[in-house]
Amino acid sequence: MSVLVDTSVWVGHFKRRNDSLVDLMLRDEVLTHPTVLGELACGTPPARTIATGPIAPAGPKQPASPDARSPLPA
């Protein structure tokens, strides 16, 4: 099972090691969204290199069906 990791979890991990997250990463069960990478890259300059270096965006596990999309408000 893969786990989608949000920005707040990464930020918390970079501030203080999250052993559960490390365990998931070692088992290759962590996914993240490209937007999360962008948010992490907006951090302070020293953290930017560290934060985005080892993280690669995950591709979709399966394509979303057209029915799964929410219509945009008019």
Side-chain angles (χ1 to χ4, degrees):
M1 173 178 77
S2 295
V3 177
L4 182 63
V5 179
D6 194 16
T7 306
S8 62
V9 176
W10 286 115
V11 170
H13 173 67
F14 295 138
K15 289 181 179 180
R16 184 171 184 195
R17 180 185 169 107
N18 180 329
D19 289 329
S20 298
L21 181 58
V22 171
D23 184 48
L24 288 169
M25 287 189 286
L26 290 172
R27 294 187 313 211
D28 198 26
E29 294 179 351
V30 171
L31 301 175
T32 195
H33 191 275
T35 300
V36 171
L37 292 177
E39 291 173 345
L40 292 172
C42 289
T44 59
R48 187 178 306 137
T49 304
I50 295 167
T52 58
I55 304 170
K61 289 291 184 181
Q62 61 185 18
S65 69
D67 297 333
R69 287 186 240 151
S70 299
L72 296 174

